[in-house]
Amino acid sequence: MSTWNDDSFLSLFPEAPPAKVRIDPAQHSPRWLVDGAMRPFTGPAREVRSRVATRTGTTLSATLLGHEAQLTADDAKLAVAAAQRAWNNGEGEWPSAHVETRIAAVERFAAAVEAKTDEIATLLMWEIGKPWASSRDEVTRSVDYIRNTVVELQRLRQHDLSVQLGTAGGKKHFARTHRRALGVVLCVAPFNYPVNEFLTTVIPALLMGNVVIAKTPRFGVLANLVLLEAFRDCFPKGVVSLLPGDGRVVIPAVMSATEQDVAGNPTGVVHVLAFIGSEGAANAIMRAHPTPITLHKILGLGAKNPAVVLPDADLDAAAAAIVKGGLGFNGQRCTAEKIVFVHRSVADAFTAKVAARVDALKAGMPWDEGVGITPLPEETKLETMRALIDDAVSKGATVVNTNGGRGAFSIMRPAVVAGVKPGMRLLHEEQFGPIIPISTFDDAEAVLDWQRRSPFGQQSAVWGKAETARAFVRKFTRFVARVNLNDVCQRGPDSFGFSAADKSGFGTLSLKEALLSFSRPVLVQAQDQSVLDAFLSRPG
Ligand code: G3H
């Protein structure tokens, strides 16, 4: 393993970071939001340290950014009680507020987030190593997402006001369908998009009248906590709780909470789980719920998105896009291309183009201009990546780019691993990091067979001409939720449904579909339209 370590990478880390990006840890003391109040926390706290390290000579040390409260299960239960009061069986102030009242609150919140764009982006650079431009983009994209979701809600409302006509047994029926909130939502966002994927679940949930308990992600917790004031100031008491701490303590305490129904039977307090992370964690969280049948779920889980390069593909375009898609944010995107299947007739030429592009990527700190390779937040990430590479190399694969896999502390030059075959972990395991595994194929059926047997089904990308690719594309649509034609796998545009097949996820998010995912339809009908009109006031 030590053969991978390269002290020349140490010089990438600064002795002192530039003044404009420095963080004062005293500004990030332990705190949380519960029952409408931002509470300082006097219990145990964890040091939040960044793998964007600082250097003294040849010694690197993880930079102290602040402290995170380690909430207990009893603390988490206070948030549950506050959420129950705010929900009040759908009759609390927030769920029963007129939709325009909710929209106004969310618009105030969007403005408050926008005002803190640079502060949040600076924390993202430190906490997760995301380059400055992408960190800012994560915040601005989230603000746009909020505002565009409001537009969708207004459209949906127009639809609510229209009358549906149906016939049954020769008789006419008139109906209006309204959307109603589901209840208490537990939102758990991932570390790679700790602000964007947090807000793209929390905001549609709130707009539809739900109340939210959010667990901050493992990394990116301070960036989330910057939003505390805005949540406190824009929403009524108990409607949003923000809980830092160890997920293994906080999440089961929330998920296992019960209340009694009219018959005295216990039923789960949490109505919706919105979770983005691993399959194992999702299963463990759902198992803690006392009445799984009452739990709605929206899940974004693992993925091993393949890119397929056919013989007639534009190899330059494919190589450029796959390097971007596979290594954007060091490959830590659920939507990244995580395996490339290239036709044998173009494999050497394509692999050389990919290797050259990866060699041209600049490594450095997230604030460095034009940087593409930055520190990885997880402490054991380099070891995990190198174990995957070692496994493949020991079974006959080759690292084909300069210094691929080499690095120090938290930074690693991406590895382009060619000759990936069955029996190697890189063929089927999600690396979620800076490796581009390349596998050569002769027969398209072998690639389809791989996809058929893959437990994952998020997206795929197909590179080639329409005549060659058509049958391939049609077959891929049976196994994944999105096929990208001569384009990278990705979540956006945000107006497109973001969903997954198999073990890659459940439910759909998008500007519009997230509103549907966090609500249920309720229909009011009569056989006489004037009765319907007379009985219904304007829906709220
Ligand atoms: O990690 C999953 C993200 O939702 C990916 O979003 O494709 O826009 O980077 P993106």
Side-chain angles (χ1 to χ4, degrees), residues 341-511:
F341 293 104
V342 57
H343 192 266
R344 188 173 304 280
S345 61
V346 291
D348 289 347
F350 171 77
T351 303
K353 286 177 193 292
V354 170
R357 285 186 176 272
V358 174
D359 286 347
L361 293 175
K362 180 178 163 189
M365 296 301 105
W367 48 80
D368 291 339
E369 193 65 33
V371 79
I373 301 165
T374 50
L376 302 159
E378 293 173 283
E379 211 168 318
T380 56
K381 194 69 177 191
L382 265 61
E383 285 73 20
T384 310
M385 294 297 97
R386 288 159 177 183
L388 287 168
I389 301 167
D390 282 337
D391 170 74
V393 169
S394 72
K395 293 168 184 164
T398 319
V399 177
V400 294
N401 61 314
T402 313
N403 287 333
R406 292 175 73 83
F409 193 67
S410 57
I411 202 158
M412 177 186 124
R413 280 215 77 82
V416 181
V417 184
V420 171
K421 293 193 176 83
M424 299 178 185
R425 292 171 58 198
L426 273 177
L427 187 74
H428 56 87
E429 274 185 39
E430 177 179 26
Q431 64 271 34
F432 206 76
I435 304 177
I436 299 187
I438 301 182
S439 183
T440 304
F441 72 92
D442 297 291
D443 177 6
E445 195 47 40
V447 180
L448 289 168
D449 188 52
W450 175 91
Q451 182 65 71
R452 232 171 251 133
R453 294 187 298 124
S454 169
F456 301 117
Q458 194 202 67
Q459 303 190 21
S460 65
V462 180
W463 293 85
K465 298 233 158 46
E467 311 77 67
T468 327
R470 198 173 294 122
F472 220 107
V473 171
R474 193 172 312 119
K475 291 209 173 168
F476 258 132
T477 60
R478 295 184 186 144
F479 312 116
V480 299
R482 169 167 166 162
V483 183
N484 301 280
L485 310 178
N486 293 321
D487 200 1
V488 285
C489 299
Q490 59 201 298
R491 174 170 176 159
D494 288 326
S495 54
F496 286 2
F498 181 49
S499 60
D502 291 336
K503 287 184 173 176
S504 284
F506 190 88
T508 304
L509 293 173
S510 78
L511 300 171

Side-chain angles (χ1 to χ4, degrees), residues 160 162-169 171-178 521-536:
D160 266 9
S162 62
V163 174
Q164 260 174 277
L165 170 65
T167 54
K171 290 188 176 148
K172 284 186 178 168
H173 292 255
F174 299 87
R176 276 203 203 142
T177 303
H178 309 278
V522 52
L523 184 135
V524 182
Q525 76 89 33
Q527 290 191 21
D528 181 333
Q529 188 172 354
S530 63
V531 169
L532 186 70
D533 290 341
F535 273 61
L536 276 184

Side-chain angles (χ1 to χ4, degrees), residues 141 192-193 197 333-335 490-492 498:
R141 177 179 176 181
N192 61 335
Y193 280 87
E197 296 211 322
R333 293 165 55 245
C334 63
T335 48
Q490 59 201 298
R491 174 170 176 159
F498 181 49

